Amino acid sequence: MEYTTGTPSWRLVMRRALGGLRPRRRGQRQRGWSVGVPLIALAAGLLFTTSATTADGTALRDDRRPQLAQLIADKRTRLEQREKQAAGLRTTVDQDAARLADVDTPVKEARQRADAMREPAGFTALHGPGLTVTLNDSSRRPTDTGGDVPQNDDLVVHQGDVQAVVNALWAGGAEAMSIMDVRVISTSAVRCVGNTLLLHGQVFSPPFKITAIGEPTGMHRALESAEGVQQFRAAVADFGLGYTEIVERNVTVRAYDGSSDLRSAEVTK
């Protein structure tokens, strides 16, 4: 067979029939993979190394809530131990001051003045008739349907609810008071975080029990007329919150045994 100039050669015809330059393009893809695979492997190794360093021998996806709960329990135990230690030191100081008062007249007079103020300050236990008020969260749960459904805030006892009861009992003639069996004094502050109550460094969960020594009828009337208590009792009917009053014939309110130090004070004119 004879080929002339300008006529495509048989090799060129075959290349066109087979798709032109496919063999060369396949070679380009092979060279791309040969470069890309090591880069991907390097990036994956860097990611694994970073994860291992961050985890420091632990699983990154582990639930840390049990560890947090244990940390809180440890801190609470340590706080209780230090409170007992502080109470022991205060007892030792009182004993030493009492021995010194036997031979030192100014110290004796100072102790007598302090002893006269211990009862009104809340540092002695009191017994007598009174009233116990208990506030509790609702057993209902919020839903996402409807227009008048309760929200989370509607179903829990708030700081203002506890304070309303405490203020009403004082206004009704309470002589001494405790919240969750912890004596309330002039420096006590009621704080709520979520549905837990903080009082003198201790954390309490509902139901919250408030006990006051005094004439029960007068304190009951003060509770009936207090606006904040009325609002809470309305929420009891609407959302199923808990509210009970129990008349106590003879109840004990323990003495305050914590620190009486003031961090700040303001004199009002």
Side-chain angles (χ1 to χ4, degrees):
M1 182 179 296
E2 186 175 325
Y3 300 96
T4 59
T5 304
T7 303
S9 67
W10 65 274
R11 290 187 178 87
L12 183 58
V13 172
M14 291 300 295
R15 287 178 59 184
R16 291 176 178 175
L18 293 175
L21 302 179
R22 284 182 184 173
R24 186 166 61 86
R25 291 177 182 172
R26 185 165 54 248
Q28 286 179 340
R29 286 201 300 269
Q30 291 174 352
R31 286 195 297 272
W33 275 106
S34 64
V35 175
V37 169
L39 291 177
I40 294 174
L42 178 62
L46 179 61
L47 178 62
F48 294 152
T49 302
T50 303
S51 299
T53 303
T54 303
D56 194 21
T58 63
L60 289 175
R61 294 182 180 273
D62 279 354
D63 190 353
R64 302 296 178 90
R65 284 176 295 181
Q67 299 178 14
L68 180 59
Q70 183 62 42
L71 178 62
I72 294 174
D74 292 343
K75 293 292 186 181
R76 185 173 299 174
T77 300
R78 187 179 304 175
L79 176 62
E80 292 174 354
Q81 293 174 348
R82 292 184 176 179
E83 287 179 345
K84 291 180 180 179
Q85 182 182 6
L89 292 173
R90 284 193 294 269
T91 300
T92 301
V93 171
D94 288 340
Q95 292 173 351
D96 292 342
R99 286 193 293 267
L100 183 60
D102 293 336
V103 297
D104 192 311
T105 301
V107 173
K108 182 178 181 179
E109 294 175 350
R111 283 183 58 84
Q112 290 175 346
R113 291 193 300 269
D115 290 341
M117 294 185 290
R118 290 182 66 85
E119 181 175 326
F123 287 87
T124 58
L126 289 182
H127 313 271
L131 195 65
T132 295
V133 179
T134 303
L135 309 178
N136 199 5
D137 291 347
S138 173
S139 60
R140 295 175 58 182
R141 295 292 179 266
T143 58
D144 297 327
T145 59
D148 297 328
V149 296
Q151 303 299 317
N152 283 324
D153 287 345
D154 299 324
L155 304 177
V156 298
V157 179
H158 292 280
Q159 174 179 318
D161 303 324
V162 178
Q163 290 176 335
V165 172
V166 169
N167 293 337
L169 291 173
W170 286 128
E175 301 174 10
M177 191 181 306
S178 67
I179 301 176
M180 302 301 286
D181 295 325
V182 177
R183 183 67 175 266
V184 177
I185 62 174
S186 59
T187 57
S188 300
V190 178
R191 296 288 184 269
C192 286
V193 178
N195 67 334
T196 61
L197 182 144
L198 305 180
L199 181 62
H200 295 302
Q202 301 183 57
V203 182
F204 302 98
S205 298
F208 301 132
K209 184 180 71 172
I210 306 166
T211 300
I213 290 180
E215 204 282 309
T217 303
M219 292 189 293
H220 172 72
R221 291 174 179 171
L223 290 168
E224 289 283 340
S225 60
E227 181 179 357
V229 179
Q230 291 176 357
Q231 293 175 354
F232 183 81
R233 296 178 73 169
V236 170
D238 294 337
F239 305 117
L241 293 162
Y243 179 90
T244 59
E245 290 183 23
I246 299 176
V247 176
E248 307 283 1
R249 292 185 178 181
N250 187 14
V251 68
T252 299
V253 173
R254 298 189 304 173
Y256 178 73
D257 58 359
S259 174
S260 60
D261 294 340
L262 289 175
R263 294 186 178 180
S264 62
E266 181 178 349
V267 178
T268 58
K269 298 180 180 179

